[in-house]
Amino acid sequence: MQDFLCSMSDSNTTDFTNPSTFILLGIPGLEAAHVWISIPFCTMYIIAVLGNFTILFIMKMEPSLHGPMYYFLCMLTVTDLVLSTSTLPKMLSIFWFNSREIDFSACLTQMYFIHCFSVMESGIFVAMALDRYVAICDPLRHSSILTNPVVAKIGLAVVLRGSILVLPYPFLARQWPYCRTNIIPHSYCEHIAMVKLACAVIRISNYYGLFVAIFVTGLDVFFITMSYIQILMAIFSLPTKDARLKTFGTCSSHLCAILAFYIPALFSFLTHRFGHTMPLHLHILIANLYLLVPPMLNPIIYGVRNKEIRGRLLRLFSHKRT
């Protein structure tokens, strides 16, 4: 693989200070298996699109689902759709048609969308944890605390945080001179994978990317943990086991979705920063699954675990059969 990159670098001796295109290699080392890898990837994407659109349709059609928790779930489904769609179509074109070129500006745009909506998704999980905290710890004031204007402000704050924090990524990446090669050993325009191609000291991009990852993940996980400590204390103070199980069941969907998002994200981050001995193709596969698994699993989790959505879904299918 290194010989391939070196030979490509030698053949591209022109100045790439402002490259018009980048070349995405897909999954380096597994080029022969690209078509086979595309089958599970495409299946996951189809499930993600159909599942998230189904959740959006059900929540639009069912008035009883017009509440804070479901508004946050709408934000989550839209984020998942954007996150998966920003990577999968181009990835499949690499796997199926060997279409590896991507315009420089398109690469920067894809990078921004991936990281921006990842930060947004993390923020939405914090908002959902807040909703569960208020619903369980102060149920009588839930409707007066989380009013529609408050939910809209929380949603706006989540969007602005993601948009502003990630905005320096493409601006920093654009300013670096790319005079070595324009070949990205990845299946999408990931921030660090792209700026590593620069023939300059990219300490600012490295440190800022590390700051965003630690700041967002650390802060969000802290708030979610604090919320669930209070939630568990409230649950264990309930008088009967049935009441405790029923109350905890209202959080199960959210907890499963959190685990589906943060575990692959943490694993991908750790392998990228510290897993230097890990084979490159394994790291790229993990990075791809991080963007594919949560959008696929979230509609399944909420469709199966949430009683209201599950009931509406069953009524919808039974009505169609009738």
Side-chain angles (χ1 to χ4, degrees):
M1 185 62 222
Q2 289 179 345
D3 294 339
F4 171 77
L5 289 175
C6 289
S7 64
M8 288 296 290
S9 179
D10 293 339
S11 63
N12 288 287
T13 55
T14 54
D15 186 7
F16 285 111
T17 301
N18 293 299
S20 58
T21 59
F22 279 109
I23 306 297
L24 293 168
L25 292 184
I27 303 177
L30 296 179
E31 287 86 355
H34 272 176
V35 173
W36 296 106
I37 294 170
S38 72
I39 296 172
F41 278 25
C42 185
T43 303
M44 286 190 283
Y45 180 59
I46 291 170
I47 293 171
V49 171
L50 292 178
N52 283 293
F53 271 118
T54 302
I55 294 289
L56 286 172
F57 175 76
I58 288 172
M59 286 190 288
K60 176 178 172 56
M61 298 300 294
E62 185 61 50
S64 65
L65 301 182
H66 295 174
M69 183 177 76
Y70 298 103
Y71 292 146
F72 292 137
L73 182 55
C74 276
M75 297 177 202
L76 182 66
T77 56
V78 172
T79 302
D80 282 338
L81 284 169
V82 175
L83 200 56
S84 56
T85 303
S86 63
T87 55
L88 252 294
K90 179 58 184 176
M91 201 182 299
L92 292 177
S93 73
I94 296 170
F95 293 162
W96 290 344
F97 310 113
N98 204 32
S99 175
R100 301 184 178 198
E101 287 194 1
I102 183 169
D103 185 76
F104 182 65
S105 297
C107 196
L108 293 174
T109 303
Q110 186 188 53
M111 176 212 297
Y112 179 77
F113 271 81
I114 290 168
H115 292 284
C116 175
F117 279 85
S118 295
V119 173
M120 284 185 198
E121 183 147 347
S122 184
I124 293 167
F125 283 126
V126 176
M128 296 173 90
L130 173 66
D131 171 74
R132 291 300 82 206
Y133 165 75
V134 177
I136 292 172
C137 298
D138 199 358
L140 297 178
R141 298 179 58 209
H142 182 261
S143 58
S144 61
I145 293 173
L146 289 176
T147 59
N148 286 347
V150 170
V151 170
K153 288 175 184 175
I154 292 172
L156 181 62
V158 168
V159 171
L160 288 176
R161 186 187 73 152
S163 303
I164 294 170
L165 275 177
V166 180
L167 195 59
Y169 279 19
F171 284 103
L172 287 171
R174 183 179 283 277
Q175 75 166 355
W176 303 126
Y178 297 91
C179 55
R180 291 197 189 100
T181 180
N182 63 342
I183 301 167
I184 302 177
H186 213 298
S187 53
Y188 57 84
C189 294
E190 199 271 335
H191 174 235
I192 295 299
M194 181 178 174
V195 297
K196 275 183 178 178
L197 304 181
C199 51
V201 179
I202 57 167
R203 210 172 278 122
I204 297 174
S205 287
N206 268 325
Y207 287 161
Y208 187 73
L210 190 62
F211 161 74
V212 170
I214 293 174
F215 173 74
V216 169
T217 306
L219 203 62
D220 290 357
V221 169
F222 172 77
F223 283 127
I224 291 170
T225 303
M226 290 298 102
S227 297
Y228 271 95
I229 288 173
Q230 298 296 318
I231 289 169
L232 289 173
M233 289 172 62
I235 288 173
F236 286 126
S237 67
L238 294 173
T240 65
K241 183 180 178 181
D242 287 343
R244 289 194 290 270
L245 288 174
K246 184 177 180 181
T247 306
F248 185 76
T250 64
C251 303
S252 59
S253 300
H254 183 232
L255 282 171
C256 291
I258 286 173
L259 293 174
F261 177 76
Y262 283 111
I263 290 176
L266 182 63
F267 197 58
S268 179
F269 172 77
L270 291 176
T271 55
H272 188 78
R273 294 284 174 178
F274 309 109
H276 302 299
T277 58
M278 179 178 288
L280 181 60
H281 65 268
L282 187 57
H283 167 69
I284 303 300
L285 281 171
I286 292 169
N288 287 331
L289 291 175
Y290 157 60
L291 296 180
L292 278 175
V293 171
M296 177 193 70
L297 285 183
N298 286 339
I300 296 173
I301 290 168
Y302 281 96
V304 173
R305 301 289 303 175
N306 188 284
K307 185 172 67 175
E308 288 81 7
I309 294 176
R310 185 174 68 247
R312 186 66 179 85
L313 191 61
L314 290 173
R315 287 202 301 273
L316 180 67
F317 282 110
S318 62
H319 176 72
K320 283 186 176 181
R321 282 199 298 269
T322 305

